[in-house]
Amino acid sequence: MYLPNPKAFANSALNLYEGISRKATLRSLPLNVDIILTKACNLKCIFCVSYGSLKNVKQMDFDLYRSIATTLFPKALNLFICSGGEPFLYPRLREALTMASSFKTRTTITSNGMMITSNVADWVVDDQSLNELCISFDGARKETLEKIRVGANFDTIMRNLKYLSDRKMRKAVEFPRVWLRYVIMKSNLEEFPEIFRLCSDHGIYKVEVKFLNVTNEIDFLESVYNCSKLAGDVFREARLRAKQYGIDLVIPSLLPKGKGALGCMYPWRFVQIDTDGSIRFCYYSWRQRLGFFEDGFLNIWRGHEYSRIRSTMDSETPFYPYCKFCTENKGFAYESSHNQKMHEECYVIPGLEKWQVPFKTRAEVNQSFSKRMETKI
């Protein structure tokens, strides 16, 4: 069983108070730290939005990771290694997880599942330093998954997860607990209820659904915003199937956000640090950064820009313009929350051009790693 260290528990209580009170300048530190270790990926998913780093650094220096760990992990509840590229392509991933575990920071990795070979599964199970393994898996059928996740092999992923599940059973250990993240879109919507039988057969305890946010050349008709009635019917069937197979299911609402609902908490609870140490304040701040970790994290976390984001995000004129469109604030029922092309200018903060990065296609990012795809972990 995972138990946070006492400092992290106390920090989380203070952070909750400051978030609900909408404090602009915080005494608490972020509960959730997301670190991008590498930009490298072995797939080219059709909906992937990628981005460069301000310093064009493609892989995090381990000394920077160590500095982040000693500064933030003592009071953080969670470390997420979920964005940028495929984490199992980072050569020192095992060491990174061990370091986080030494601080009693709960660890989660999001992977496409292709690189969880028997050797990787063995050390993940033996070390018990990875608490949660999220597999990005956007199709219940082989042909659907492989069409969406270009380069993936359905059978290989299933075989890897079965080996991992069997290894856990033989060792009689809890971690890593395995779950799926399913980006729902028109192409994979109707087959979604079929996913729960696969989960039951492969040691997967949970499925989390995310809506497609159209941020590249993919057709906007793929967004379930265009077929919300069908989505409602599918989600009802999915809840029945999940209950039948004993799988936890997390589905976002198809409704607008109600009045009085708790607003977005990302600028209070979360920080993401890119490969070059640049700081991102939410998952939807695709292009905008707020500075570099090496320049002093507390100066940024408690500084003018972060404070202004917090103090204005619930207003009609948020400092980060995208806040007025985001599903975290608006809920499902607005096209502008699903179609990035409607408001591309809102993904940057006027006046902070020196901390802005361009969008890149996954093919552009992968090309720079073409000689590293055979990295052995």
Side-chain angles (χ1 to χ4, degrees):
M1 179 182 295
Y2 162 78
L3 292 173
N5 68 61
K7 288 183 179 179
F9 186 80
N11 182 62
S12 68
L14 175 59
N15 185 274
L16 178 62
Y17 163 74
E18 291 180 327
I20 292 175
S21 303
R22 310 312 260 179
K23 300 287 186 183
T25 304
L26 308 186
R27 292 166 54 208
S28 62
L29 290 176
L31 308 184
N32 302 322
V33 179
D34 188 302
I35 297 179
I36 299 176
L37 294 177
T38 180
K39 300 288 192 182
C41 189
N42 51 329
L43 303 185
K44 292 184 290 185
C45 303
I46 63 171
F47 60 86
C48 181
V49 56
S50 191
Y51 41 84
S53 62
L54 290 171
K55 297 180 179 179
N56 199 30
V57 175
K58 299 178 177 65
Q59 191 162 276
M60 182 173 283
D61 183 86
F62 199 77
D63 286 341
L64 173 58
Y65 176 86
R66 183 181 290 109
S67 179
I68 295 167
T70 55
T71 302
L72 297 184
F73 290 0
K75 292 190 176 182
L77 291 178
N78 299 296
L79 165 65
F80 296 101
I81 304 174
C82 302
S83 304
E86 168 54 48
F88 286 99
L89 283 168
Y90 186 66
R92 300 181 72 173
L93 178 61
R94 186 175 185 177
E95 192 176 348
L97 290 170
T98 299
M99 185 176 295
S101 182
S102 71
F103 288 98
K104 296 185 177 180
T105 304
R106 187 176 187 85
T107 54
T108 299
I109 281 179
T110 298
S111 168
N112 58 51
M114 286 292 293
M115 297 195 66
I116 306 173
T117 61
S118 58
N119 288 338
V120 170
D122 287 347
W123 70 253
V124 166
V125 170
D126 292 346
D127 288 8
Q128 289 292 281
S129 58
L130 176 59
N131 300 111
E132 302 275 323
L133 175 59
C134 168
I135 303 298
S136 294
F137 200 84
D138 313 305
R141 302 170 188 167
K142 177 180 174 68
E143 60 273 19
T144 305
L145 178 82
E146 294 179 1
K147 183 177 179 180
I148 292 172
R149 297 195 156 262
V150 179
N153 184 288
F154 185 96
D155 299 321
T156 297
I157 298 169
M158 291 293 96
R159 184 168 59 249
N160 290 349
L161 295 181
K162 187 67 168 64
Y163 180 91
L164 176 62
S165 177
D166 291 345
R167 175 81 175 179
K168 283 175 58 183
M169 290 184 66
R170 288 196 303 271
K171 288 282 189 173
V173 295
E174 181 180 3
F175 302 126
R177 301 201 308 163
V178 182
W179 51 285
L180 300 185
R181 176 173 290 133
Y182 196 104
V183 176
I184 204 95
M185 61 191 85
K186 186 177 179 181
S187 295
N188 63 15
L189 176 60
E190 292 188 70
E191 69 192 64
F192 175 58
E194 300 171 22
I195 202 74
F196 301 101
R197 179 183 59 80
L198 286 175
C199 293
S200 180
D201 293 341
H202 292 82
I204 297 163
Y205 83 95
K206 180 176 76 171
V207 175
E208 178 185 86
V209 172
K210 292 290 185 181
F211 293 128
L212 172 69
N213 190 306
V214 178
T215 53
N216 61 12
E217 64 276 7
I218 192 170
D219 193 330
F220 181 65
L221 291 177
E222 279 290 332
S223 171
V224 296
Y225 172 81
N226 301 294
C227 50
S228 58
K229 184 180 184 304
L230 175 60
D233 294 339
V234 170
F235 287 175
R236 280 188 289 274
E237 174 64 20
R239 291 186 181 94
L240 294 175
R241 296 281 190 94
K243 185 176 181 180
Q244 175 187 350
Y245 286 101
I247 307 298
D248 294 344
L249 176 59
V250 180
I251 298 181
S253 173
L254 291 167
L255 300 173
K257 202 157 190 176
K259 290 184 178 180
L262 182 63
C264 173
M265 296 286 279
Y266 272 102
W268 287 266
R269 294 182 175 178
F270 170 90
V271 67
Q272 184 180 80
I273 304 173
D274 211 332
T275 48
D276 60 354
S278 58
I279 290 175
R280 183 177 168 193
F281 49 92
C282 80
Y283 283 120
Y284 291 106
S285 59
W286 305 110
R287 296 188 54 202
Q288 186 68 61
R289 308 291 181 268
L290 295 182
F292 293 93
F293 183 88
E294 62 192 22
D295 294 332
F297 176 77
L298 288 181
N299 293 334
I300 298 170
W301 180 249
R302 294 170 179 161
H304 173 73
E305 286 84 12
Y306 236 123
S307 297
R308 194 168 171 191
I309 288 169
R310 297 184 189 110
S311 64
T312 63
M313 68 176 304
D314 298 327
S315 74
E316 292 299 317
T317 55
F319 184 51
Y320 180 51
Y322 181 72
C323 289
K324 62 187 174 185
F325 301 113
C326 182
T327 54
E328 289 289 326
N329 284 330
K330 303 287 286 186
F332 175 83
Y334 297 88
E335 181 179 352
S336 57
S337 299
H338 303 270
N339 189 357
Q340 179 258 324
K341 296 174 184 177
M342 293 182 66
H343 40 75
E344 293 185 27
E345 73 285 354
C346 292
Y347 285 86
V348 295
I349 297 174
L352 298 185
E353 287 81 8
K354 64 180 179 178
W355 291 326
Q356 291 167 7
V357 297
F359 283 111
K360 289 188 176 182
T361 66
R362 172 48 63 186
E364 286 180 285
V365 176
N366 282 5
Q367 186 176 7
S368 65
F369 280 96
S370 60
K371 295 182 180 179
R372 303 186 190 184
M373 288 296 104
E374 296 181 358
T375 300
K376 304 297 183 183
I377 304 300

